[in-house]
Amino acid sequence: MAFQKIVVPAGEKITYRDGQLQVPDHPIVGMIEGDGIGPDISRASRRVWEAAVEKAYRGKRKIAWMDLYAGESAMERYGGNPLPDETVETIRQYVVAIKGPLTTPVGGGFRSLNVSLRILLDLYACVRPVRHYAGVPSPMIDPSRVDVVIFRENTEDVYAGIEFPFDSPEAAKIRAFFSREFKITIRDDAGIGIKPISVFGTKRLVRKAIRHALERRLPSVTLIHKGNIQKYTEGAFRAWGYELAKEEFGDVTITEDELHAQHGGQQPAGKIVIKDRIADIAFQLMQLRPDEFSVLAMPNLNGDYMSDAVAAQVGGIGIAPGANIGDGTAVFEATHGTAPKYAGQDKVNPGSLLFSGVMMLEYMGWHEAGQLITDAYEKTVQQKTVTYDFARQMPGSREVKTSEFATAIINNMGRGFNKA
Ligand code: NAP
């Protein structure tokens, strides 16, 4: 397919076959800079990723960046269209992409581009690892106890986009249908939203979460839900999650009940504990006893709240990375928004996008480059060279611009090691 505005650089395609990602030495990776602060953090992060790959593999490996457009950059180029078909199609073909934040109008206008991308590409798992990096300021006494990976279902729940304004004919029809068929009265001035949660959507998400725990030898997967109130959506998520664990991973998982009834509370070697918590108490426990959690799997809305809440415990969304992953296709993204008041000021923390890039390098199997970045980031923060957000929490620190922070990280990278 010939593209209208996208220039494909020299390089090779990443492919996904039989459940395996094949990554060449010069992979083409899509990049959407994003709106607002997007260009500042994208350009700074790109320099760090490139330096790390160069240092780790001494020129044997190199990413060929392919600029893609969404949001304001697309509207300028594609006659007002914020999400051109060719952007979506390119990501589908080239499998891996990374993006900065995109503007979403509140209470009207076009649908969230992030949500659209997730649904169009069926990126059904939003994966957010949240852990503390040494030196990063935190409101917790011991933030090192936070080390979780959140798997949030990305395509269902109240994010499915089935919503009707209170004064629309559709809402009136639905209210009339409920009154006629079920004798349920909904106020005449109520907007209507639908919350679908399916067996299919739940099981593929929980499958990914358990596989992640298995691959990384993590101790538990917790299903987080509001099933005491929303019994047939959130409650069903819990039931189907346990069902999937038993059906497909019965030999390597045990439930928390079995742990206590059959093993005296002592986790047997080689078994992952599957447990569940109701969402409200889970938020509390995450602050009081975060080390009781490892991998978390949850429906869309709770996952959205939980991701930002846990991120706040270890330094805020300015540093929390994320990815939207389907079967093979993956879009890595900053978890914060466009912070328009800081746009173009070269001021904000590039950490969220930077570490999303580290997740991307790990996804590609380029772990050495990812590790170089993590180590150099920690070193830089420990030297108290930080952007404004950390500076205001770290007395005696030196506040630097986004670009200067990136340079400091690059300067702190150790000598390369060639394990490729
Ligand atoms: P936001 O852009 O995330 O910014 C809220 C605040 O978070 C900022 O004012 C800043 O706090 C802090 N912050 C965000 N990014 C930071 C960074 N890199 N470094 C340091 N601090 C950072 O949230 P918003 O103002 O609610 O949303 C703005 C727009 O972004 C909206 O259009 C929204 O829809 C969109 N959005 C997009 C995404 C996405 O693309 N994935 C996600 C969320 C929101 P202080 O001012 O207190 O320092």
Side-chain angles (χ1 to χ4, degrees):
M1 175 178 169
F3 299 116
Q4 223 188 320
K5 309 276 180 192
I6 296 169
V7 179
V8 180
E12 299 137 68
K13 262 187 187 172
I14 295 177
T15 53
Y16 182 75
R17 259 182 245 120
D18 305 325
Q20 292 294 321
L21 202 68
Q22 310 291 337
V23 182
D25 282 341
H26 297 93
I28 297 174
V29 172
M31 167 114 210
I32 298 170
E33 283 198 339
D35 301 328
I37 56 173
D40 281 348
I41 56 173
S42 296
R43 287 164 203 175
S45 298
R46 200 147 138 171
R47 281 200 292 123
V48 177
W49 301 326
E50 284 175 0
V53 169
E54 168 65 30
K55 271 209 155 67
Y57 310 115
R58 297 171 196 266
K60 183 174 179 289
R61 289 175 169 172
K62 191 175 183 353
I63 293 175
W65 299 105
M66 175 165 56
D67 287 316
L68 308 178
Y69 308 102
E72 287 161 18
S73 66
M75 291 169 86
E76 285 160 18
R77 288 173 175 80
Y78 295 84
N81 180 0
L83 188 58
D85 289 347
E86 66 177 24
T87 296
V88 179
E89 188 48 37
T90 323
I91 299 174
R92 206 189 305 279
Q93 282 185 29
Y94 287 83
V95 183
V96 173
I98 187 156
K99 63 173 275 292
L102 298 170
T103 308
T104 302
V106 177
F110 56 79
R111 189 177 188 200
S112 159
L113 301 176
N114 305 299
V115 174
S116 301
L117 262 179
R118 291 168 194 167
I119 291 188
L120 290 168
L121 293 165
D122 200 20
L123 305 173
Y124 59 84
C126 178
V127 184
R128 295 202 184 165
V130 190
R131 53 159 282 217
H132 186 245
Y133 295 96
V136 171
S138 153
M140 293 197 64
I141 293 168
D142 182 6
S144 68
R145 290 170 65 192
V146 179
D147 188 359
V148 297
V149 186
I150 298 171
F151 281 73
R152 160 189 168 197
E153 205 289 325
N154 240 353
T155 62
E156 302 194 324
D157 199 349
V158 286
Y159 284 66
I162 314 169
E163 273 200 307
F164 303 102
F166 78 100
D167 54 356
S168 63
E170 292 88 349
K173 254 188 185 170
I174 292 169
R175 290 191 297 256
F177 177 81
F178 270 78
S179 166
R180 194 179 62 242
E181 296 293 323
F182 304 128
K183 310 283 174 259
I184 291 173
T185 305
I186 303 173
R187 289 192 184 112
D188 280 348
D189 57 355
I192 308 276
I194 308 266
K195 177 185 175 89
I197 291 196
S198 69
V199 177
F200 174 77
T202 299
K203 287 195 171 175
R204 67 178 177 169
L205 187 269
V206 175
R207 183 179 296 119
K208 234 186 195 7
I210 296 179
R211 278 194 187 142
H212 181 89
L214 272 174
E215 281 160 16
R216 310 280 170 121
R217 297 172 189 273
L218 298 172
S220 66
V221 175
T222 308
L223 307 165
I224 295 189
H225 58 87
K226 192 65 192 162
N228 53 333
I229 305 297
Q230 301 165 53
K231 297 181 192 302
Y232 308 115
T233 49
E234 300 263 338
F237 178 91
R238 169 187 180 273
W240 295 327
Y242 276 118
E243 201 174 280
L244 181 278
K246 196 168 176 197
E247 283 165 359
E248 297 186 17
F249 302 96
D251 52 338
V252 284
T253 60
I254 53 169
T255 64
E256 196 175 32
D257 287 347
E258 289 165 350
L259 177 72
H260 292 292
Q262 297 163 19
H263 302 277
Q266 291 298 313
Q267 187 157 353
K271 301 270 189 195
I272 295 167
V273 176
I274 309 293
K275 53 188 177 177
D276 79 279
R277 295 289 181 274
I278 291 174
D280 35 351
I281 192 66
F283 274 86
Q284 185 173 129
L285 290 173
M286 194 56 73
Q287 293 179 53
L288 296 175
R289 304 199 299 273
D291 36 14
E292 289 182 6
F293 297 98
S294 176
V295 176
L296 311 176
M298 61 190 96
N300 212 332
L301 182 61
N302 284 328
D304 195 359
Y305 295 154
M306 181 64 90
S307 303
D308 280 16
V310 186
Q313 295 178 228
V314 294
I317 50 172
I319 187 184
N324 298 297
I325 306 182
D327 289 324
T329 312
V331 177
F332 297 81
E333 68 170 358
T335 54
H336 54 72
T338 57
K341 65 181 171 184
Y342 300 121
Q345 292 181 28
D346 194 17
K347 183 177 173 77
V348 298
N349 194 336
S352 175
L353 187 66
L354 186 68
F355 282 113
S356 302
V358 170
M359 283 178 79
M360 181 180 82
L361 293 167
E362 287 170 355
Y363 187 72
M364 289 160 52
W366 294 14
H367 297 275
E368 299 83 0
Q371 194 59 49
L372 276 178
I373 297 170
T374 303
D375 293 346
Y377 184 95
E378 284 184 329
K379 198 167 168 190
T380 309
V381 175
Q382 282 167 345
Q383 289 164 346
K384 296 198 166 191
T385 300
V386 289
T387 45
Y388 85 98
D389 52 324
F390 285 2
R392 68 185 165 195
Q393 302 173 68
M394 289 170 70
S397 58
R398 185 167 74 93
E399 182 182 328
V400 292
K401 293 173 180 295
T402 313
S403 54
E404 293 168 339
F405 185 59
T407 303
I409 295 172
I410 294 168
N411 290 340
N412 272 330
M413 277 179 199
R415 275 179 51 79
F417 46 96
N418 196 353
K419 287 187 186 163

